[in-house]
Each structure stands twice: as structure tokens, then as C-alpha cells.
Amino acid sequence: MDILNPDKTLRIALIAVGIVYTVGLYPLTLIWPDGFMWMPRQAEYEQMILATFAVLGVFLLLAARAPAEHRSLIGFAGWSSLVHGLVMLVQALRDPMEQANFFGDIPALIAVGAVLLVLNRPAVTPAAG
């Protein structure tokens, strides 16, 4: 088993992120609301964002079957997670009530974005010659 195989590593990352996005975010909001929710709480917004992430998670799980065929979806998931985390970082810097998010959803989204973007590179094939 070659753990450094980029395709295999990307598949593992897609499965992990897909599971967390699909079924893991809601429990995180219950276990540590300060780290994974924003104040004031808005039930309608929370339901919308959790549903959106759940759908993305399902598609990431499907993409894990053949990542090379889903590079644009993986790129979208990476960039949208990274940008989402960076926007929240700026917002939390401006609002002292959101400092717990520095240790919850902000680093999680930035890490997910960075990992997906780094791992989503096409495999390099040796030049024929």
C-alpha cells in the first residue's frame, strides 16, 4: 500500500471531507456551538448552510470513486471552503464575540480547502521519448 500515492491520498481526503460535510457538521454544531456557529443564532441560515454542505459532501463522496473525472468539483470544494474560511476569519477579527471560531470552523474550512487544492493536482506522467 503506497500511502504517498497522490490519487489514493486524494480519495481518502474526499471520503473524510465528504463524511464530515454530509453527517458530521450538524453534530459539531451541537457539541461545540461556539466553535461552529455564529451569533446571533439564526435557525433558517443554519439549516440552509448545513443542507448545502451536506449536498456538497455527497458529491465529494461520489467524486472519490474517480477523482480525475471530477477535478472541477474538487477544485470548487477546495476554493469555496478556503474562501469561506478566510471570509469568516476577517469577520471574526472584527467581532470579538466570534473568537471561539478561530479554533473551530475557521481553521477547519481553511485546512479542508488547502488539502483539497494541494491534492487535486493532475498526476504527472513521464514524457514519452
Side-chain angles (χ1 to χ4, degrees):
M1 179 166 123
D2 183 9
I3 198 154
L4 296 178
N5 177 321
D7 192 50
K8 182 176 220 120
T9 306
L10 177 57
R11 285 181 180 182
I12 292 168
L14 290 170
I15 291 168
V17 172
I19 289 170
V20 171
Y21 277 10
T22 303
V23 297
L25 289 181
Y26 179 68
L28 285 170
T29 67
L30 298 176
I31 294 166
W32 188 24
D34 287 347
F36 285 89
M37 285 285 116
W38 290 67
M39 302 302 160
R41 301 282 303 264
Q42 297 175 347
E44 296 83 2
Y45 169 77
E46 292 171 10
Q47 292 166 7
M48 176 195 63
I49 199 77
L50 290 171
T52 301
F53 272 103
V55 170
L56 180 57
V58 169
F59 278 86
L60 292 176
L61 289 169
L62 294 171
R65 295 179 183 173
E69 296 175 17
H70 302 283
R71 295 228 182 262
S72 62
L73 170 68
I74 299 164
F76 170 78
W79 281 111
S80 64
S81 296
L82 181 64
V83 170
H84 187 161
L86 292 173
V87 168
M88 290 189 336
L89 174 64
V90 171
Q91 292 171 340
L93 288 169
R94 293 180 176 174
D95 185 353
M97 294 292 294
E98 302 300 343
Q99 290 185 352
N101 295 91
F102 289 133
F103 305 100
D105 51 7
I106 293 170
L109 283 166
I110 292 171
V112 164
V115 166
L116 291 180
L117 291 172
V118 167
L119 295 177
N120 192 35
R121 297 180 174 205
V124 176
T125 56

mmCIF file of all heavy atoms in Angstrom, residues 18-56:
data_model
loop_
_atom_site.group_PDB
_atom_site.id
_atom_site.type_symbol
_atom_site.label_atom_id
_atom_site.label_comp_id
_atom_site.label_asym_id
_atom_site.label_seq_id
_atom_site.Cartn_x
_atom_site.Cartn_y
_atom_site.Cartn_z
ATOM 1 N N GLY A 18 -16.084 14.382 2.712
ATOM 2 C CA GLY A 18 -17.458 14.066 2.328
ATOM 3 C C GLY A 18 -18.288 13.588 3.501
ATOM 4 O O GLY A 18 -19.436 14.011 3.680
ATOM 5 N N ILE A 19 -17.720 12.725 4.328
ATOM 6 C CA ILE A 19 -18.452 12.221 5.502
ATOM 7 C C ILE A 19 -18.707 13.354 6.492
ATOM 8 O O ILE A 19 -19.823 13.510 7.002
ATOM 9 C CB ILE A 19 -17.688 11.050 6.159
ATOM 10 C CG1 ILE A 19 -17.756 9.810 5.262
ATOM 11 C CG2 ILE A 19 -18.256 10.742 7.545
ATOM 12 C CD1 ILE A 19 -16.853 8.677 5.695
ATOM 13 N N VAL A 20 -17.686 14.151 6.768
ATOM 14 C CA VAL A 20 -17.862 15.255 7.719
ATOM 15 C C VAL A 20 -18.890 16.247 7.204
ATOM 16 O O VAL A 20 -19.778 16.675 7.939
ATOM 17 C CB VAL A 20 -16.518 15.950 8.029
ATOM 18 C CG1 VAL A 20 -16.739 17.220 8.843
ATOM 19 C CG2 VAL A 20 -15.585 15.007 8.779
ATOM 20 N N TYR A 21 -18.783 16.626 5.941
ATOM 21 C CA TYR A 21 -19.738 17.583 5.378
ATOM 22 C C TYR A 21 -21.153 17.009 5.356
ATOM 23 O O TYR A 21 -22.120 17.728 5.589
ATOM 24 C CB TYR A 21 -19.322 17.989 3.966
ATOM 25 C CG TYR A 21 -18.294 19.091 3.890
ATOM 26 C CD1 TYR A 21 -17.610 19.556 5.006
ATOM 27 C CD2 TYR A 21 -17.978 19.663 2.675
ATOM 28 C CE1 TYR A 21 -16.666 20.563 4.914
ATOM 29 C CE2 TYR A 21 -17.039 20.687 2.568
ATOM 30 C CZ TYR A 21 -16.385 21.125 3.686
ATOM 31 O OH TYR A 21 -15.455 22.133 3.594
ATOM 32 N N THR A 22 -21.295 15.717 5.082
ATOM 33 C CA THR A 22 -22.621 15.116 4.958
ATOM 34 C C THR A 22 -23.282 14.880 6.312
ATOM 35 O O THR A 22 -24.449 15.242 6.501
ATOM 36 C CB THR A 22 -22.537 13.783 4.181
ATOM 37 O OG1 THR A 22 -21.944 14.037 2.906
ATOM 38 C CG2 THR A 22 -23.916 13.172 3.982
ATOM 39 N N VAL A 23 -22.564 14.271 7.250
ATOM 40 C CA VAL A 23 -23.202 13.903 8.517
ATOM 41 C C VAL A 23 -22.488 14.435 9.758
ATOM 42 O O VAL A 23 -22.982 14.255 10.864
ATOM 43 C CB VAL A 23 -23.348 12.365 8.645
ATOM 44 C CG1 VAL A 23 -24.263 11.816 7.562
ATOM 45 C CG2 VAL A 23 -21.994 11.673 8.620
ATOM 46 N N GLY A 24 -21.358 15.087 9.598
ATOM 47 C CA GLY A 24 -20.580 15.493 10.769
ATOM 48 C C GLY A 24 -20.760 16.918 11.226
ATOM 49 O O GLY A 24 -20.526 17.229 12.395
ATOM 50 N N LEU A 25 -21.165 17.797 10.331
ATOM 51 C CA LEU A 25 -21.260 19.210 10.724
ATOM 52 C C LEU A 25 -22.369 19.459 11.734
ATOM 53 O O LEU A 25 -22.179 20.204 12.699
ATOM 54 C CB LEU A 25 -21.449 20.108 9.498
ATOM 55 C CG LEU A 25 -20.240 20.249 8.595
ATOM 56 C CD1 LEU A 25 -20.560 21.185 7.434
ATOM 57 C CD2 LEU A 25 -19.025 20.755 9.352
ATOM 58 N N TYR A 26 -23.523 18.852 11.529
ATOM 59 C CA TYR A 26 -24.634 19.079 12.465
ATOM 60 C C TYR A 26 -24.254 18.675 13.895
ATOM 61 O O TYR A 26 -24.445 19.465 14.819
ATOM 62 C CB TYR A 26 -25.899 18.369 11.991
ATOM 63 C CG TYR A 26 -27.050 18.551 12.941
ATOM 64 C CD1 TYR A 26 -27.638 19.803 13.115
ATOM 65 C CD2 TYR A 26 -27.531 17.487 13.691
ATOM 66 C CE1 TYR A 26 -28.681 19.991 14.004
ATOM 67 C CE2 TYR A 26 -28.575 17.660 14.577
ATOM 68 C CZ TYR A 26 -29.147 18.916 14.730
ATOM 69 O OH TYR A 26 -30.175 19.086 15.625
ATOM 70 N N PRO A 27 -23.692 17.477 14.097
ATOM 71 C CA PRO A 27 -23.267 17.148 15.465
ATOM 72 C C PRO A 27 -22.237 18.133 16.032
ATOM 73 O O PRO A 27 -22.270 18.439 17.227
ATOM 74 C CB PRO A 27 -22.672 15.742 15.338
ATOM 75 C CG PRO A 27 -23.322 15.170 14.130
ATOM 76 C CD PRO A 27 -23.537 16.329 13.198
ATOM 77 N N LEU A 28 -21.329 18.630 15.196
ATOM 78 C CA LEU A 28 -20.355 19.614 15.680
ATOM 79 C C LEU A 28 -21.041 20.887 16.173
ATOM 80 O O LEU A 28 -20.595 21.496 17.145
ATOM 81 C CB LEU A 28 -19.339 19.954 14.586
ATOM 82 C CG LEU A 28 -18.291 18.892 14.312
ATOM 83 C CD1 LEU A 28 -17.498 19.222 13.052
ATOM 84 C CD2 LEU A 28 -17.367 18.721 15.503
ATOM 85 N N THR A 29 -22.127 21.286 15.510
ATOM 86 C CA THR A 29 -22.852 22.487 15.960
ATOM 87 C C THR A 29 -23.536 22.254 17.293
ATOM 88 O O THR A 29 -23.777 23.209 18.034
ATOM 89 C CB THR A 29 -23.898 22.947 14.921
ATOM 90 O OG1 THR A 29 -24.943 21.981 14.818
ATOM 91 C CG2 THR A 29 -23.264 23.202 13.572
ATOM 92 N N LEU A 30 -23.857 20.998 17.607
ATOM 93 C CA LEU A 30 -24.480 20.678 18.896
ATOM 94 C C LEU A 30 -23.436 20.512 19.988
ATOM 95 O O LEU A 30 -23.633 20.960 21.116
ATOM 96 C CB LEU A 30 -25.310 19.394 18.777
ATOM 97 C CG LEU A 30 -26.477 19.423 17.797
ATOM 98 C CD1 LEU A 30 -27.135 18.049 17.719
ATOM 99 C CD2 LEU A 30 -27.482 20.494 18.182
ATOM 100 N N ILE A 31 -22.319 19.868 19.645
ATOM 101 C CA ILE A 31 -21.268 19.597 20.625
ATOM 102 C C ILE A 31 -20.533 20.879 21.015
ATOM 103 O O ILE A 31 -20.248 21.101 22.191
ATOM 104 C CB ILE A 31 -20.263 18.560 20.061
ATOM 105 C CG1 ILE A 31 -20.961 17.216 19.882
ATOM 106 C CG2 ILE A 31 -19.043 18.430 20.958
ATOM 107 C CD1 ILE A 31 -20.172 16.226 19.037
ATOM 108 N N TRP A 32 -20.214 21.710 20.037
ATOM 109 C CA TRP A 32 -19.458 22.936 20.301
ATOM 110 C C TRP A 32 -20.033 24.082 19.470
ATOM 111 O O TRP A 32 -19.447 24.525 18.489
ATOM 112 C CB TRP A 32 -17.988 22.716 19.979
ATOM 113 C CG TRP A 32 -17.086 23.831 20.389
ATOM 114 C CD1 TRP A 32 -17.303 24.763 21.365
ATOM 115 C CD2 TRP A 32 -15.815 24.157 19.818
ATOM 116 N NE1 TRP A 32 -16.248 25.633 21.445
ATOM 117 C CE2 TRP A 32 -15.316 25.286 20.507
ATOM 118 C CE3 TRP A 32 -15.059 23.609 18.809
ATOM 119 C CZ2 TRP A 32 -14.093 25.862 20.205
ATOM 120 C CZ3 TRP A 32 -13.841 24.179 18.515
ATOM 121 C CH2 TRP A 32 -13.365 25.291 19.213
ATOM 122 N N PRO A 33 -21.194 24.587 19.869
ATOM 123 C CA PRO A 33 -21.826 25.656 19.086
ATOM 124 C C PRO A 33 -20.972 26.915 18.974
ATOM 125 O O PRO A 33 -20.991 27.579 17.933
ATOM 126 C CB PRO A 33 -23.139 25.926 19.814
ATOM 127 C CG PRO A 33 -23.078 25.195 21.091
ATOM 128 C CD PRO A 33 -21.981 24.187 21.004
ATOM 129 N N ASP A 34 -20.211 27.260 19.996
ATOM 130 C CA ASP A 34 -19.380 28.464 19.917
ATOM 131 C C ASP A 34 -18.320 28.352 18.824
ATOM 132 O O ASP A 34 -17.939 29.349 18.215
ATOM 133 C CB ASP A 34 -18.700 28.758 21.256
ATOM 134 C CG ASP A 34 -19.662 29.279 22.302
ATOM 135 O OD1 ASP A 34 -20.804 29.650 21.933
ATOM 136 O OD2 ASP A 34 -19.284 29.313 23.488
ATOM 137 N N GLY A 35 -17.830 27.157 18.567
ATOM 138 C CA GLY A 35 -16.790 26.960 17.564
ATOM 139 C C GLY A 35 -17.321 26.718 16.165
ATOM 140 O O GLY A 35 -16.585 26.862 15.197
ATOM 141 N N PHE A 36 -18.609 26.357 16.065
ATOM 142 C CA PHE A 36 -19.150 26.011 14.755
ATOM 143 C C PHE A 36 -20.445 26.735 14.400
ATOM 144 O O PHE A 36 -21.071 26.418 13.394
ATOM 145 C CB PHE A 36 -19.339 24.497 14.642
ATOM 146 C CG PHE A 36 -18.041 23.783 14.459
ATOM 147 C CD1 PHE A 36 -17.305 23.369 15.558
ATOM 148 C CD2 PHE A 36 -17.527 23.570 13.201
ATOM 149 C CE1 PHE A 36 -16.079 22.732 15.395
ATOM 150 C CE2 PHE A 36 -16.299 22.938 13.029
ATOM 151 C CZ PHE A 36 -15.579 22.522 14.129
ATOM 152 N N MET A 37 -20.826 27.705 15.191
ATOM 153 C CA MET A 37 -21.995 28.540 14.892
ATOM 154 C C MET A 37 -21.618 29.997 15.149
ATOM 155 O O MET A 37 -20.655 30.280 15.853
ATOM 156 C CB MET A 37 -23.183 28.166 15.781
ATOM 157 C CG MET A 37 -23.847 26.874 15.382
ATOM 158 S SD MET A 37 -24.850 27.069 13.906
ATOM 159 C CE MET A 37 -24.009 26.025 12.756
ATOM 160 N N TRP A 38 -22.391 30.891 14.595
ATOM 161 C CA TRP A 38 -22.142 32.316 14.740
ATOM 162 C C TRP A 38 -23.316 32.956 15.460
ATOM 163 O O TRP A 38 -24.443 32.488 15.369
ATOM 164 C CB TRP A 38 -21.913 32.951 13.368
ATOM 165 C CG TRP A 38 -20.596 32.504 12.804
ATOM 166 C CD1 TRP A 38 -20.273 31.233 12.416
ATOM 167 C CD2 TRP A 38 -19.436 33.287 12.619
ATOM 168 N NE1 TRP A 38 -18.971 31.184 11.981
ATOM 169 C CE2 TRP A 38 -18.433 32.439 12.088
ATOM 170 C CE3 TRP A 38 -19.129 34.626 12.823
ATOM 171 C CZ2 TRP A 38 -17.158 32.877 11.780
ATOM 172 C CZ3 TRP A 38 -17.853 35.059 12.499
ATOM 173 C CH2 TRP A 38 -16.883 34.202 11.989
ATOM 174 N N MET A 39 -23.040 33.995 16.190
ATOM 175 C CA MET A 39 -24.070 34.672 16.971
ATOM 176 C C MET A 39 -24.496 35.962 16.285
ATOM 177 O O MET A 39 -23.649 36.624 15.690
ATOM 178 C CB MET A 39 -23.546 34.983 18.378
ATOM 179 C CG MET A 39 -23.099 33.758 19.138
ATOM 180 S SD MET A 39 -24.443 32.581 19.286
ATOM 181 C CE MET A 39 -23.556 31.082 19.621
ATOM 182 N N PRO A 40 -25.727 36.350 16.347
ATOM 183 C CA PRO A 40 -26.818 35.607 16.980
ATOM 184 C C PRO A 40 -27.215 34.416 16.120
ATOM 185 O O PRO A 40 -27.097 34.441 14.897
ATOM 186 C CB PRO A 40 -27.952 36.628 17.051
ATOM 187 C CG PRO A 40 -27.693 37.571 15.931
ATOM 188 C CD PRO A 40 -26.195 37.604 15.758
ATOM 189 N N ARG A 41 -27.661 33.362 16.787
ATOM 190 C CA ARG A 41 -28.073 32.160 16.076
ATOM 191 C C ARG A 41 -29.254 32.468 15.170
ATOM 192 O O ARG A 41 -30.155 33.199 15.540
ATOM 193 C CB ARG A 41 -28.459 31.057 17.066
ATOM 194 C CG ARG A 41 -27.369 30.622 18.037
ATOM 195 C CD ARG A 41 -26.332 29.710 17.436
ATOM 196 N NE ARG A 41 -26.837 28.497 16.856
ATOM 197 C CZ ARG A 41 -26.888 27.318 17.471
ATOM 198 N NH1 ARG A 41 -26.495 27.198 18.712
ATOM 199 N NH2 ARG A 41 -27.338 26.259 16.854
ATOM 200 N N GLN A 42 -29.237 31.919 13.980
ATOM 201 C CA GLN A 42 -30.325 32.082 13.012
ATOM 202 C C GLN A 42 -30.651 30.707 12.449
ATOM 203 O O GLN A 42 -29.937 30.198 11.580
ATOM 204 C CB GLN A 42 -29.924 33.040 11.901
ATOM 205 C CG GLN A 42 -29.641 34.433 12.388
ATOM 206 C CD GLN A 42 -29.130 35.333 11.265
ATOM 207 O OE1 GLN A 42 -28.776 34.865 10.193
ATOM 208 N NE2 GLN A 42 -29.099 36.626 11.535
ATOM 209 N N ALA A 43 -31.725 30.120 12.948
ATOM 210 C CA ALA A 43 -32.079 28.742 12.588
ATOM 211 C C ALA A 43 -32.207 28.550 11.082
ATOM 212 O O ALA A 43 -31.739 27.549 10.541
ATOM 213 C CB ALA A 43 -33.366 28.324 13.296
ATOM 214 N N GLU A 44 -32.828 29.506 10.398
ATOM 215 C CA GLU A 44 -33.029 29.356 8.952
ATOM 216 C C GLU A 44 -31.692 29.322 8.212
ATOM 217 O O GLU A 44 -31.477 28.499 7.321
ATOM 218 C CB GLU A 44 -33.896 30.500 8.387
ATOM 219 C CG GLU A 44 -35.305 30.531 8.926
ATOM 220 C CD GLU A 44 -35.429 31.242 10.270
ATOM 221 O OE1 GLU A 44 -34.420 31.764 10.787
ATOM 222 O OE2 GLU A 44 -36.536 31.265 10.812
ATOM 223 N N TYR A 45 -30.782 30.207 8.583
ATOM 224 C CA TYR A 45 -29.463 30.229 7.958
ATOM 225 C C TYR A 45 -28.704 28.940 8.273
ATOM 226 O O TYR A 45 -28.076 28.346 7.389
ATOM 227 C CB TYR A 45 -28.657 31.438 8.444
ATOM 228 C CG TYR A 45 -27.206 31.350 8.045
ATOM 229 C CD1 TYR A 45 -26.819 31.644 6.744
ATOM 230 C CD2 TYR A 45 -26.236 30.922 8.945
ATOM 231 C CE1 TYR A 45 -25.493 31.525 6.348
ATOM 232 C CE2 TYR A 45 -24.914 30.806 8.562
ATOM 233 C CZ TYR A 45 -24.551 31.105 7.268
ATOM 234 O OH TYR A 45 -23.242 30.977 6.881
ATOM 235 N N GLU A 46 -28.766 28.500 9.522
ATOM 236 C CA GLU A 46 -28.053 27.288 9.915
ATOM 237 C C GLU A 46 -28.543 26.076 9.127
ATOM 238 O O GLU A 46 -27.744 25.267 8.661
ATOM 239 C CB GLU A 46 -28.204 27.051 11.418
ATOM 240 C CG GLU A 46 -27.489 28.104 12.250
ATOM 241 C CD GLU A 46 -27.806 28.022 13.731
ATOM 242 O OE1 GLU A 46 -28.439 27.040 14.168
ATOM 243 O OE2 GLU A 46 -27.405 28.952 14.456
ATOM 244 N N GLN A 47 -29.856 25.958 8.954
ATOM 245 C CA GLN A 47 -30.410 24.844 8.183
ATOM 246 C C GLN A 47 -29.941 24.916 6.730
ATOM 247 O O GLN A 47 -29.586 23.892 6.133
ATOM 248 C CB GLN A 47 -31.932 24.863 8.251
ATOM 249 C CG GLN A 47 -32.461 24.556 9.630
ATOM 250 C CD GLN A 47 -33.936 24.908 9.784
ATOM 251 O OE1 GLN A 47 -34.606 25.265 8.825
ATOM 252 N NE2 GLN A 47 -34.431 24.807 11.011
ATOM 253 N N MET A 48 -29.937 26.122 6.170
ATOM 254 C CA MET A 48 -29.528 26.300 4.777
ATOM 255 C C MET A 48 -28.061 25.903 4.584
ATOM 256 O O MET A 48 -27.721 25.145 3.672
ATOM 257 C CB MET A 48 -29.727 27.757 4.345
ATOM 258 C CG MET A 48 -29.235 28.056 2.949
ATOM 259 S SD MET A 48 -29.094 29.809 2.617
ATOM 260 C CE MET A 48 -27.858 30.313 3.781
ATOM 261 N N ILE A 49 -27.182 26.399 5.445
ATOM 262 C CA ILE A 49 -25.756 26.133 5.267
ATOM 263 C C ILE A 49 -25.436 24.657 5.527
ATOM 264 O O ILE A 49 -24.627 24.047 4.822
ATOM 265 C CB ILE A 49 -24.883 27.092 6.131
ATOM 266 C CG1 ILE A 49 -23.451 27.143 5.600
ATOM 267 C CG2 ILE A 49 -24.864 26.721 7.587
ATOM 268 C CD1 ILE A 49 -23.274 27.970 4.384
ATOM 269 N N LEU A 50 -26.090 24.057 6.516
ATOM 270 C CA LEU A 50 -25.866 22.634 6.783
ATOM 271 C C LEU A 50 -26.363 21.781 5.617
ATOM 272 O O LEU A 50 -25.712 20.807 5.237
ATOM 273 C CB LEU A 50 -26.531 22.213 8.093
ATOM 274 C CG LEU A 50 -25.873 22.761 9.359
ATOM 275 C CD1 LEU A 50 -26.735 22.481 10.581
ATOM 276 C CD2 LEU A 50 -24.476 22.185 9.541
ATOM 277 N N ALA A 51 -27.499 22.146 5.023
ATOM 278 C CA ALA A 51 -28.011 21.403 3.871
ATOM 279 C C ALA A 51 -27.071 21.549 2.681
ATOM 280 O O ALA A 51 -26.800 20.564 1.970
ATOM 281 C CB ALA A 51 -29.415 21.886 3.518
ATOM 282 N N THR A 52 -26.567 22.750 2.455
ATOM 283 C CA THR A 52 -25.653 22.984 1.337
ATOM 284 C C THR A 52 -24.376 22.165 1.505
ATOM 285 O O THR A 52 -23.906 21.523 0.556
ATOM 286 C CB THR A 52 -25.327 24.490 1.221
ATOM 287 O OG1 THR A 52 -26.548 25.193 1.019
ATOM 288 C CG2 THR A 52 -24.373 24.764 0.078
ATOM 289 N N PHE A 53 -23.815 22.160 2.708
ATOM 290 C CA PHE A 53 -22.604 21.375 2.944
ATOM 291 C C PHE A 53 -22.890 19.878 2.835
ATOM 292 O O PHE A 53 -22.048 19.119 2.352
ATOM 293 C CB PHE A 53 -21.987 21.706 4.309
ATOM 294 C CG PHE A 53 -21.035 22.861 4.250
ATOM 295 C CD1 PHE A 53 -21.407 24.114 4.710
ATOM 296 C CD2 PHE A 53 -19.761 22.710 3.740
ATOM 297 C CE1 PHE A 53 -20.532 25.183 4.654
ATOM 298 C CE2 PHE A 53 -18.869 23.766 3.676
ATOM 299 C CZ PHE A 53 -19.255 25.011 4.135
ATOM 300 N N ALA A 54 -24.065 19.433 3.274
ATOM 301 C CA ALA A 54 -24.410 18.014 3.168
ATOM 302 C C ALA A 54 -24.459 17.583 1.702
ATOM 303 O O ALA A 54 -23.949 16.511 1.337
ATOM 304 C CB ALA A 54 -25.734 17.734 3.867
ATOM 305 N N VAL A 55 -25.056 18.397 0.857
ATOM 306 C CA VAL A 55 -25.116 18.074 -0.578
ATOM 307 C C VAL A 55 -23.710 18.041 -1.174
ATOM 308 O O VAL A 55 -23.362 17.117 -1.915
ATOM 309 C CB VAL A 55 -26.020 19.079 -1.325
ATOM 310 C CG1 VAL A 55 -25.894 18.905 -2.829
ATOM 311 C CG2 VAL A 55 -27.468 18.915 -0.874
ATOM 312 N N LEU A 56 -22.888 19.031 -0.843
ATOM 313 C CA LEU A 56 -21.510 19.026 -1.325
ATOM 314 C C LEU A 56 -20.790 17.774 -0.840
ATOM 315 O O LEU A 56 -20.034 17.143 -1.593
ATOM 316 C CB LEU A 56 -20.771 20.294 -0.872
ATOM 317 C CG LEU A 56 -19.313 20.416 -1.299
ATOM 318 C CD1 LEU A 56 -19.146 20.324 -2.811
ATOM 319 C CD2 LEU A 56 -18.724 21.723 -0.769
#
